[in-house]
Amino acid sequence: VWSVNVAKVATSPSHFSLDATEEFSNFLKINIRACAAASFTYTLQMSSIFADVASLYRACSEYVFQAHQQGDAAIHQPVYKAVRAVRVDILELLTTSLAIVTHDATTTFMPAMKTIILDNYKASPPAIRDAEVITLFSACVTTMKGAIAHEIPAIMDGIFDPTLELIAENMTDYPEHRAALFQFLQIANECCFH
């Protein structure tokens, strides 16, 4: 059922419904808990669902972007909020799994995460950027340490300027993004620069 529903919304984000988002969210939350409980043995499960998770993230992002362009009426709909929540669940699953999967698995997932998640974060309007993206890439750096040093410029390009655009206007807006950015900078500094 999971793969069929993912394929359906991947072909057309208009297939998102409250029932579909609830199923996606339940599946993702179960996997988040399983990942935390199973530790490094979860790597096989993550490898088997990663393509669907990436495809679902892309579909969610497309839906959120289209709704954002339609204006206030669209972004106040329950389905919009549910799709945003699914997108955050995906980021939480990826972040949780990066803390426990093997270094090899992380290097396998990294190109897709940069292409799908980081590029989307950079290209999205400020109002629809999720701070969890920054947390995800902090987890990547923590897991891979110096082996990811060559990726830091590309990650910084995708994170730094778009986040700075959010937090530079005043000191109170987007506190989650602000904290996540400074945490990312600290982790990158500790793990990649000696």
Side-chain angles (χ1 to χ4, degrees):
V1 174
W2 158 259
S3 294
V4 171
N5 287 341
V6 170
K8 197 183 297 184
V9 296
T11 57
S12 175
S14 64
H15 286 106
F16 275 111
S17 66
L18 285 176
D19 290 339
T21 55
E22 185 177 336
E23 286 179 26
F24 292 141
S25 187
N26 287 339
F27 179 86
L28 293 164
K29 287 178 181 176
I30 288 168
N31 274 275
I32 291 166
R33 289 184 191 102
C35 176
S39 191
F40 71 92
T41 58
Y42 185 79
T43 302
L44 183 60
Q45 170 69 5
M46 190 64 209
S47 296
S48 70
I49 66 170
F50 182 76
D52 284 341
V53 169
S55 183
L56 181 58
Y57 186 87
R58 182 179 284 135
C60 288
S61 294
E62 191 175 316
Y63 181 90
V64 167
F65 181 75
Q66 289 173 359
H68 181 75
Q69 288 189 319
Q70 292 172 5
D72 284 344
I75 64 173
H76 292 301
Q77 295 297 319
V79 174
Y80 172 83
K81 293 176 182 176
V83 171
R84 293 263 334 237
V86 167
R87 196 165 75 161
V88 169
D89 289 342
I90 292 168
L91 294 169
E92 184 179 348
L93 173 61
L94 292 172
T95 302
T96 303
S97 67
L98 284 174
I100 55 99
V101 298
T102 64
H103 180 274
D104 292 337
T106 305
T107 56
T108 303
F109 302 150
M110 189 60 157
M113 288 191 307
K114 279 178 32 190
T115 303
I116 296 168
I117 298 170
L118 192 59
D119 291 351
N120 175 267
Y121 182 85
K122 183 178 179 181
S124 293
I128 61 174
R129 292 182 186 142
D130 295 315
E132 290 81 3
V133 170
I134 305 167
T135 304
L136 170 65
F137 284 94
S138 293
C140 288
V141 173
T142 300
T143 300
M144 296 179 71
K145 302 207 183 311
I148 199 172
H150 67 284
E151 299 281 357
I152 293 295
I155 295 170
M156 287 294 294
D157 182 53
I159 290 175
F160 191 75
D161 285 338
T163 306
L164 197 58
E165 178 184 345
L166 293 173
I167 65 174
E169 288 184 30
N170 64 54
M171 295 302 288
T172 57
D173 290 345
Y174 303 103
E176 304 89 11
H177 292 77
R178 186 180 314 277
L181 178 64
F182 289 123
Q183 182 181 23
F184 171 80
L185 293 172
Q186 180 182 9
I187 290 169
N189 187 40
E190 290 171 0
C191 294
C192 299
F193 305 107
H194 303 292

